[in-house]
Amino acid sequence: MQPLDIKVVEQALHWCDEGHDFWFCTVVNTFGSSPREPGSWLIARQDGAHCGSLSGGCVEEDFLARLQQNAFTGRINRIRYGAPDGPDNPRVALPCGGILDVLIEHWTASADTRDHFLALQAALAGQGPIARLVSTETGEVRVAPEPELGPRVTEDTDQAILRLRVGPVSRLVVAGLSPVANACASFAHSLGFEVIVCDPRPEEVRHFNLPGVSLQQELPSVFIAREGCHQATAVVALTHDPRIDDTAMMEAVKTRAFYIGVMGSLNTSGKRRERLARVGGLTEQQISRIQMPVGLNIGSKTPAEIALAVMADIIRVRQGIPRNQL
């Protein structure tokens, strides 16, 4: 999930509190190239106010125009963009040549609506993944606990049920500022991660200016120990300063973070491994969770290249792809 999903859910709760009806849209399938992945959200009111995205801009104008023309009646509708062969499909071609299959749900302002979107908000905040089970026949929606996240959208055509999974927003915690850390934070933000940089050093944070990135002026280890890490969190240390990098690793291995890594050569990593066991008291199992050196081996030299290698490895692990399959 992405930070934009948080904004969509917050907007739903705000409109519900104000007494507005709204239409909640989910990309349920994509075919060929497509600008947004399955599970992407857009929320809109009939007057055109909206938040989120289905396509990055190429179909939203048509959808909002149709919404204002009362084109979507009933509890749910389903339309397909990029496939103008059906009578109900809008004749809008996607520039990428792909197809988007979109579920549209009509929600009224009520206590049940508020409870539903509060459940989504909690899942996005890391309080445990859930599944939205939507009947494509009746429009009935219920929420069920989800033991682990799988594909964001699956469909049981026999039971006429869409299973729409909602889990925590992908988060990157960057331990300490450095040229590599700056590049990595900016890159992660552009990939849709919630990015938090932790650094207590006044001389380093004085000129901090990374749009969309949060700064915590404290030791990363203190932040991690206090806030913890949900299962969609990656933690990377990229300063070459053991006081920051080592202590961050000592706390990160106690959390549910799906990726933990620290920058350094093979020689440096060997020395760090010994320190983490001797000084930090980490077990071999805990140390094995740490990617040392961090990132994919693509011959990186510059800060931008190292950041690319780091984020590529984080995406690899998040997608469940073993190194030997690259």
Side-chain angles (χ1 to χ4, degrees):
M1 313 297 286
Q2 297 190 346
L4 183 58
D5 297 323
I6 296 176
K7 295 180 181 178
V8 168
V9 170
E10 289 176 345
Q11 188 65 73
L13 290 167
H14 180 65
W15 284 344
C16 183
D17 290 343
E18 290 185 333
H20 294 289
D21 286 16
F22 55 83
W23 282 257
F24 183 55
C25 307
T26 305
V27 176
V28 294
N29 272 312
T30 62
F31 306 89
S33 298
S34 60
R36 295 279 281 161
E37 64 180 347
S40 299
W41 290 339
L42 177 139
I43 187 173
R45 291 194 329 220
Q46 199 159 23
D47 62 5
H50 64 282
C51 178
S53 175
L54 297 175
S55 68
C58 53
V59 306
E60 279 83 348
E61 183 178 354
D62 175 85
F63 167 75
L64 294 171
R66 288 161 63 86
L67 180 60
Q68 292 175 32
Q69 296 165 6
N70 297 310
F72 308 115
T73 59
R75 172 70 182 84
I76 63 169
N77 288 266
R78 197 163 174 174
I79 59 174
R80 180 167 291 183
Y81 280 98
D85 52 337
D88 298 324
N89 295 331
R91 296 184 176 276
V92 175
L94 276 64
C96 58
I99 297 173
L100 294 178
D101 192 7
V102 180
L103 176 73
I104 304 165
E105 305 171 52
H106 180 207
W107 288 84
T108 58
S110 68
D112 288 343
T113 294
R114 180 172 178 78
D115 288 346
H116 184 82
F117 283 89
L118 283 173
L120 269 61
Q121 188 180 55
L124 292 173
Q127 295 182 27
I130 61 173
R132 304 180 63 241
L133 305 177
V134 182
S135 169
T136 55
E137 292 182 346
T138 67
E140 179 186 3
V141 183
R142 59 187 178 89
V143 170
E146 191 75 353
E148 60 183 29
L149 286 176
R152 288 188 65 177
V153 180
T154 55
E155 184 168 8
D156 184 336
T157 54
D158 292 336
Q159 300 294 321
I161 294 290
L162 276 168
R163 190 178 194 91
L164 309 174
R165 293 177 174 87
V166 182
V169 169
S170 295
R171 175 185 292 171
L172 177 68
V173 176
V174 181
L177 284 166
S178 69
V180 174
N182 291 345
C184 193
S186 296
F187 195 10
H189 174 65
S190 71
L191 290 169
F193 281 71
E194 174 193 12
V195 184
I196 302 168
V197 174
C198 303
D199 197 313
R201 301 169 295 178
E203 68 277 12
E204 294 294 338
V205 304
R206 185 176 298 116
H207 302 295
F208 176 84
N209 183 24
L210 295 176
V213 176
S214 299
L215 173 66
Q216 296 288 329
Q217 195 169 348
E218 60 183 328
L219 276 169
S221 55
V222 173
F223 173 82
I224 294 168
R226 184 182 70 249
E227 300 292 334
C229 299
H230 57 56
Q231 64 197 72
T233 302
V235 180
V236 293
L238 307 169
T239 71
H240 286 307
D241 185 340
R243 295 170 298 177
I244 290 178
D245 294 356
D246 287 10
T247 55
M249 295 298 98
M250 291 174 191
E251 291 298 331
V253 296
K254 302 173 186 176
T255 73
R256 296 186 296 161
F258 76 92
Y259 187 97
I260 304 169
V262 58
M263 183 170 64
S265 66
L266 288 173
N267 183 52
T268 299
S269 296
K271 294 178 180 178
R272 176 175 286 111
R273 180 180 295 272
E274 187 273 333
R275 284 198 308 272
L276 291 175
R278 176 174 51 83
V279 180
L282 299 190
T283 66
E284 185 57 36
Q285 183 178 13
Q286 289 175 315
I287 293 173
S288 68
R289 293 188 61 200
I290 304 173
Q291 303 290 330
M292 296 186 287
V294 69
L296 295 179
N297 183 6
I298 58 174
S300 304
K301 299 296 183 184
T302 68
E305 290 173 346
I306 297 170
L308 174 64
V310 170
M311 290 311 304
D313 203 32
I314 290 172
I315 298 297
R316 173 191 68 80
V317 174
R318 189 179 68 175
Q319 299 296 93
I321 300 173
R323 282 181 182 267
N324 59 14
Q325 290 187 12
L326 296 178

